[in-house]
Amino acid sequence: MNFSRPFISLATGLALATSVFSQGLDPAHLLNPSKDSWPGYHGDYSGMRHSPLTQITPENVGQLSLAWAYQTGQVTNLKATPLLVNGILYFTSPDNVWAVDARSGHQLWHYSYPANKGFHIGHRGVSMYGDWLFYTTPDAHLLALNAKDGTVRWNVTLADSHKGYWSTMSPLVIGNHVLVGVSGDFDNLSGFLRSIDPETGKTQWQWNSVPPAGTPDSTTGGMTWMTGTYDPDSKLLYWGTGNPTPVLTGKPRPGDNLYTCSIVALNPDTGKLVWSFQPSPHDTHDWDAVETPVLYDGEFSGQPRKLLMQASRNGYFFVLDRTTGKSLLTKPFGPVNWAKGVDKDGRPIPNPDKEPTPDGRLIAPDEGGLTNYRAPSFDPKTGLFLVSAKPSYSIYFSKPADGAYGWSGADYSVWSKSVLEAIDYKTGNIRWEHELGPGGAGAGVLTTESGITFTGDAHGNALAIDTATGKTLWHTGTGTNIQSSPITYELDGRQYVLIGSGGVLYAFSLPENAVPKTSATDQ
Amino acid sequence: MISLSYQSLSRFALVLSFASPCLLGQSAGTPPQTTNLTVQTPSVPRQASKANTGANTETYPPELVKNGQATFGQNCGFCHGKDAGGGESGPDLTRSQLVSEDVKGNKIGDIVRNGRPEKGMPRFNLPEMDLAAVVAFIHDQKTKAENQKGGRRGVDVADLQTGNLEAGKKYFAANCASCHSPEGDLKGIASRFQGLKLEQRFLYPRDAEGKVTVTLPSGKQFTGKLAYKDEFVIGLKDNYGWYQSWPISTVKFNVDDPAEAHHTLLTKYSDDDIHNLMAFLQTLK
């Protein structure tokens, strides 16, 4: 199967709902998204965030200019990836969902969730099935909204926010399953992934990352706070799980702490675990392994392989055979000093001397990690995995007085900078680096078939970079740090690049007179 | 995050300079004073500690504290921890110098409303009532933390006493003495900074100012403090306090970053080196 989209296979074998998808989103569309859509968090199921669009090229990208900007009027930073379905963009912040015309940027509707006491740390976006949008809330509910007007169809509780759960993630829709995860690092809570019926809100199945809280010598944690990926051929979904709790103290939870800091392959119809791989066994540094598990079918060591790649928060780049979960490559993509080496299964071996102590340990990377939730991208033409990295050092402390609940220690970042890394997936070597400035840059990455990489730097510049060489082709100052991942689509023969920065969603395109006129897109 | 002392000092200095027309006039009239502003800041905390007592004796109505807890949890808890004792990326507010200097939100309010983009803290648009409640909650948590018996979360000066003084002295002579002198620039450093703050500062002094010389195509040169640099623009602040910038593509420039040597050491330190160095620097009172 060629994963560089479109997906060839249409035989999903999954039960599709019987409703008529006249104007909404048929889940079959997610298997083969059209150029005038971005129907899921990652665009397609692969997590590559690589677009086939070629109107904007390295030669003409210098002319890229503002098509429109949508002002949310809020101080909250946009961290969401917008959906684009039938010419309408849907995007979010905590307690807010907007529907905006993708051609003009004017608002169609705005939904506000009632005031609540959940964590308002960020929001990644909605997902869609038929006429319905699925939105997770700061107090860990899942809403089904009518995509036509933003009215609530149903509202179900995912977890008890009073215990310390919240949710920020964009659900993954596979057939008639809406897959949702939860967050909750400040309490000893159990993570889970739940499959929900898109029509009724009823639970279809639930996979728990860890044993129930209170199990002796066991761990809690393993939150499922980012969107996974899916391979329709092998019918497996891939999901990353978060750190164990207590976070910075490992003693009360001996062993590897499965399935925290893991990549798991599950059957989407049953939630049964097929395989797992653990990037950070017995983590004591808050390094969730929730970064996108990117799927690609390509050559590895001379053989065609079905691959899964992750640039993990703990500083290692992993390549797995995604049919078995077996490691093919493990290599750091920046400074790391916490492991004694890599074991026979490709897992870093944590150095006990680098667990937090009362007098402190110098650790690379810092708690935010060598990368975090903003999406990476994979460019098949060059074989480059592009990730916004944050080389960093920090000091980690933990003492018995910190107890064994929640955070259980303290850590302080000492130094960091941002670099866009172009990793050769076959070797893990860095082919080029592009400096993005001091501190964290934070923007996600998008690549296009024409050879452009879109991202942002630590100063708030949106950048278009030559994927082959790492050289800057275009930039514009957006006014503040870009905390979201860019997307692209083509409407009426015109390619747009969307970048959310601060509370503003910017749409860039080539000037109208530079684009050949075509008739309206047939929807 | 890091270098709390600096953050609060510089903020305090900023507030001072704008609050007092006299000071403001002074710095405008006699440019070199502006350059000295950061150098003078170490003397500020002693003045500030007067305000400190005022803030700490302040009590807040339980209802306000309770409301503040909810708003804090919702907006601030992720980074600063639900109990304000520190969390992902945000510092322990119960030990923050700025909080100890705050009187009824006169400092905290500023930070909440304006954020600290350079440190990764967003600004928050909270109604005044909510802001007052958040301030009450933070002070209440601080009082609770200070009155808590036995060990508590956070890093105490006593935690950082595991190093060897002699080994630290040797390490200093071999790795630091080319730029620093115990009798010169570091004289009294341990009186100005203690514990975690001292350690953070020697690991990487975030406020160390880089110098830059920009050469125009004509050969004309400008020298000053590095004020801005991204891939496209370089900016400096000259000796008169004026900011000037140029497109990077049109000029040549040379940056002298005194903190770069600290970054290089981060890649080389053993944990013992850090604790030993701490033992030595603590003696420079």
Side-chain angles (χ1 to χ4, degrees):
Chain A
M1 188 189 79
N2 172 13
F3 236 124
S4 65
R5 117 134 106 153
F7 291 123
I8 306 296
S9 165
L10 285 171
T12 71
L14 289 158
L16 297 183
T18 49
S19 47
V20 180
F21 301 100
S22 59
Q23 197 50 52
L25 180 67
D26 182 336
H29 182 83
L30 291 164
L31 298 164
N32 187 11
S34 56
K35 289 179 180 182
D36 59 357
S37 72
W38 188 279
Y41 180 72
H42 296 301
D44 63 21
Y45 278 131
S46 74
M48 284 170 42
R49 290 189 179 242
H50 178 77
S51 163
L53 295 178
T54 55
Q55 183 179 82
I56 301 170
T57 65
E59 291 71 34
N60 66 23
V61 70
Q63 298 173 51
L64 206 61
S65 57
L66 189 65
W68 50 258
Y70 176 78
Q71 307 263 358
T72 62
Q74 302 202 351
V75 293
T76 310
N77 286 320
L78 287 174
K79 296 180 177 177
T81 295
L83 285 200
L84 172 65
V85 176
N86 301 327
I88 300 168
L89 291 160
Y90 304 96
F91 58 98
T92 62
S93 72
D95 294 343
N96 293 281
V97 185
W98 292 275
V100 163
D101 182 334
R103 292 177 170 85
S104 65
H106 85 271
Q107 180 185 303
L108 303 177
W109 53 259
H110 171 212
Y111 167 76
S112 312
Y113 186 61
N116 63 88
K117 293 179 180 176
F119 267 114
H120 286 56
I121 181 64
H123 204 272
R124 329 281 168 207
V126 283
S127 61
M128 193 168 182
Y129 174 98
D131 297 344
W132 314 106
L133 299 173
F134 301 96
Y135 179 61
T136 57
T137 69
D139 59 354
H141 285 231
L142 177 71
L143 306 188
L145 301 175
N146 187 332
K148 293 172 197 167
D149 55 15
T151 51
V152 178
R153 183 190 199 191
W154 48 252
N155 173 347
V156 296
T157 305
L158 297 173
D160 187 351
S161 65
H162 298 100
K163 287 184 179 164
Y165 284 101
W166 71 93
S167 190
T168 61
M169 54 86 65
S170 169
L172 179 68
V173 172
I174 301 176
N176 69 338
H177 306 295
V178 181
L179 300 158
V180 279
V182 286
S183 311
D185 245 11
F186 300 107
D187 299 273
N188 294 2
L189 300 168
S190 306
F192 59 84
L193 183 68
R194 189 175 295 169
S195 176
I196 287 177
D197 185 310
E199 300 288 351
T200 64
K202 288 203 171 106
T203 298
Q204 295 165 328
W205 53 258
Q206 175 169 315
W207 176 80
N208 297 317
S209 348
V210 294
T215 308
D217 279 345
S218 181
T219 190
T220 43
M223 295 299 152
T224 45
W225 59 277
M226 286 298 295
T227 309
T229 53
Y230 173 60
D231 177 357
D233 272 3
S234 52
K235 297 189 187 66
L236 287 180
L237 72 88
Y238 304 94
W239 214 275
T241 67
N243 59 284
T245 46
V247 183
L248 303 188
T249 299
K251 223 175 230 170
R253 44 174 178 86
D256 287 346
N257 305 143
L258 292 171
Y259 295 100
T260 68
C261 295
S262 296
I263 300 166
V264 296
L266 305 179
N267 178 322
D269 288 325
T270 63
K272 291 277 178 297
L273 179 82
V274 177
W275 58 253
S276 76
F277 176 85
Q278 194 175 32
S280 289
H282 192 73
D283 170 70
T284 51
H285 302 102
D286 193 29
W287 291 327
D288 308 276
V290 300
E291 299 71 35
T292 318
V294 177
L295 312 183
Y296 173 62
D297 290 0
E299 188 202 305
F300 198 92
S301 300
Q303 287 185 353
R305 290 271 198 175
K306 287 164 80 70
L307 304 172
L308 182 153
M309 298 175 274
Q310 183 186 63
S312 209
R313 182 159 161 175
N314 68 11
Y316 285 84
F317 176 67
F318 297 95
V319 181
L320 308 179
D321 179 325
R322 73 170 181 273
T323 58
T324 61
K326 297 284 178 257
S327 162
L328 297 172
L329 177 79
T330 298
K331 198 163 186 175
F333 59 101
V336 293
N337 73 355
W338 58 274
K340 292 196 288 188
V342 174
D343 72 12
K344 63 175 177 36
D345 299 321
R347 304 183 314 163
I349 305 163
N351 182 349
D353 286 344
K354 286 297 186 183
E355 292 201 12
T357 58
D359 63 354
R361 288 291 177 264
L362 182 72
I363 305 291
D366 69 9
E367 178 225 310
L370 199 52
T371 189
N372 206 298
Y373 68 85
R374 292 84 170 189
S377 181
F378 182 76
D379 180 70
K381 209 182 266 178
T382 56
L384 290 177
F385 188 102
L386 295 131
V387 59
S388 188
K390 192 185 69 169
S392 48
Y393 287 85
S394 63
I395 36 178
Y396 275 78
F397 298 88
S398 183
K399 54 185 173 183
D402 293 326
Y405 192 83
W407 202 252
S408 191
D411 64 276
Y412 303 86
S413 185
V414 173
W415 172 91
S416 61
K417 71 166 181 176
S418 302
V419 185
L420 183 67
E421 309 261 18
I423 305 171
D424 181 335
Y425 84 96
K426 291 181 182 174
T427 60
N429 294 336
I430 310 290
R431 203 179 295 167
W432 53 257
E433 289 184 331
H434 185 112
E435 296 280 338
L436 297 172
V445 186
L446 167 78
T447 58
T448 68
E449 191 61 15
S450 59
I452 304 178
T453 297
F454 290 96
T455 189
D457 73 10
H459 302 276
N461 289 304
L463 303 172
I465 288 170
D466 186 326
T467 306
T469 64
K471 299 273 182 298
T472 303
L473 301 167
W474 167 89
H475 79 277
T476 193
T478 66
T480 189
N481 257 29
I482 298 164
Q483 307 267 314
S484 61
S485 304
I487 68 164
T488 188
Y489 55 85
E490 190 175 295
L491 275 181
D492 319 317
R494 194 172 183 201
Q495 185 184 352
Y496 295 80
V497 175
L498 254 60
I499 299 176
S501 170
V504 183
L505 185 63
Y506 296 96
F508 297 100
S509 66
L510 295 174
E512 269 174 292
N513 57 13
V515 181
K517 284 258 186 301
T518 57
S519 56
T521 306
D522 179 14
Q523 290 173 2
Chain B
M1 278 205 154
I2 187 104
S3 193
L4 258 184
S5 55
Y6 166 66
Q7 292 175 19
S8 39
L9 291 181
S10 65
R11 169 69 59 170
F12 192 75
L14 207 70
V15 170
L16 261 186
S17 67
F18 285 100
S20 149
C22 171
L23 250 184
L24 191 65
Q26 240 178 24
S27 41
T30 44
Q33 294 258 334
T34 319
T35 332
N36 286 340
L37 205 74
T38 40
V39 182
Q40 291 168 350
T41 46
S43 65
V44 172
R46 264 171 245 129
Q47 302 164 16
S49 61
K50 285 178 202 157
N52 188 354
T53 25
N56 282 343
T57 51
E58 197 72 43
T59 52
Y60 295 88
E63 193 55 30
L64 192 64
V65 172
K66 202 177 156 213
N67 290 343
Q69 181 175 16
T71 311
F72 186 91
Q74 203 182 86
N75 296 283
C76 328
F78 186 82
C79 295
H80 293 290
K82 282 203 288 202
D83 58 359
E88 300 214 15
S89 78
D92 177 349
L93 298 179
T94 67
R95 295 183 165 216
S96 150
Q97 184 147 352
L98 185 133
V99 171
S100 67
E101 288 166 6
D102 179 85
V103 183
K104 294 187 173 176
N106 67 339
K107 300 264 189 302
I108 298 171
D110 235 20
I111 302 287
V112 173
R113 278 188 290 262
N114 299 315
R116 270 182 167 156
E118 74 286 2
K119 312 276 180 204
M121 172 163 163
R123 58 190 203 278
F124 291 87
N125 195 9
L126 295 179
E128 285 305 310
M129 270 311 290
D130 287 353
L131 186 57
V134 164
V135 167
F137 173 71
I138 294 172
H139 281 296
D140 191 63
Q141 286 300 105
K142 180 178 163 63
T143 308
K144 274 188 193 146
E146 280 163 357
N147 295 334
Q148 190 180 317
K149 295 235 164 34
R152 73 175 185 92
R153 183 163 120 166
V155 181
D156 295 314
V157 175
D159 294 330
L160 304 175
Q161 307 304 318
T162 55
N164 176 294
L165 174 58
E166 281 310 309
K169 206 176 212 172
K170 270 187 202 150
Y171 189 92
F172 184 90
N175 297 281
C176 318
S178 55
C179 298
H180 298 286
S181 145
E183 295 80 31
D185 65 325
L186 296 186
K187 196 176 176 189
I189 185 86
S191 306
R192 298 197 292 274
F193 304 99
Q194 290 91 34
L196 180 64
K197 277 169 193 152
L198 179 59
E199 183 165 310
Q200 288 175 313
R201 203 176 167 81
F202 81 70
L203 286 174
Y204 192 78
R206 290 204 176 186
D207 54 333
E209 284 174 330
K211 285 205 178 97
V212 61
T213 302
V214 175
T215 309
L216 306 193
S218 66
K220 193 173 178 190
Q221 287 197 329
F222 294 82
T223 301
K225 284 188 282 188
L226 181 65
Y228 183 80
K229 183 180 168 293
D230 67 10
E231 213 181 306
F232 314 102
V233 172
I234 188 151
L236 61 74
K237 210 162 207 186
D238 70 16
N239 288 338
Y240 299 97
W242 285 106
Y243 175 84
Q244 294 189 70
S245 67
W246 299 267
I248 276 183
S249 56
T250 66
V251 297
K252 287 186 177 140
F253 62 90
N254 184 31
V255 175
D256 174 20
D257 178 6
E260 184 47 34
H262 289 256
H263 166 230
T264 307
L265 279 182
L266 287 175
T267 64
K268 297 178 180 167
Y269 281 125
S270 71
D271 290 301
D272 284 345
D273 291 339
I274 293 172
H275 302 140
N276 296 341
L277 201 47
M278 185 72 186
F280 172 62
L281 292 173
Q282 284 183 151
T283 64
L284 306 181
K285 289 196 171 145

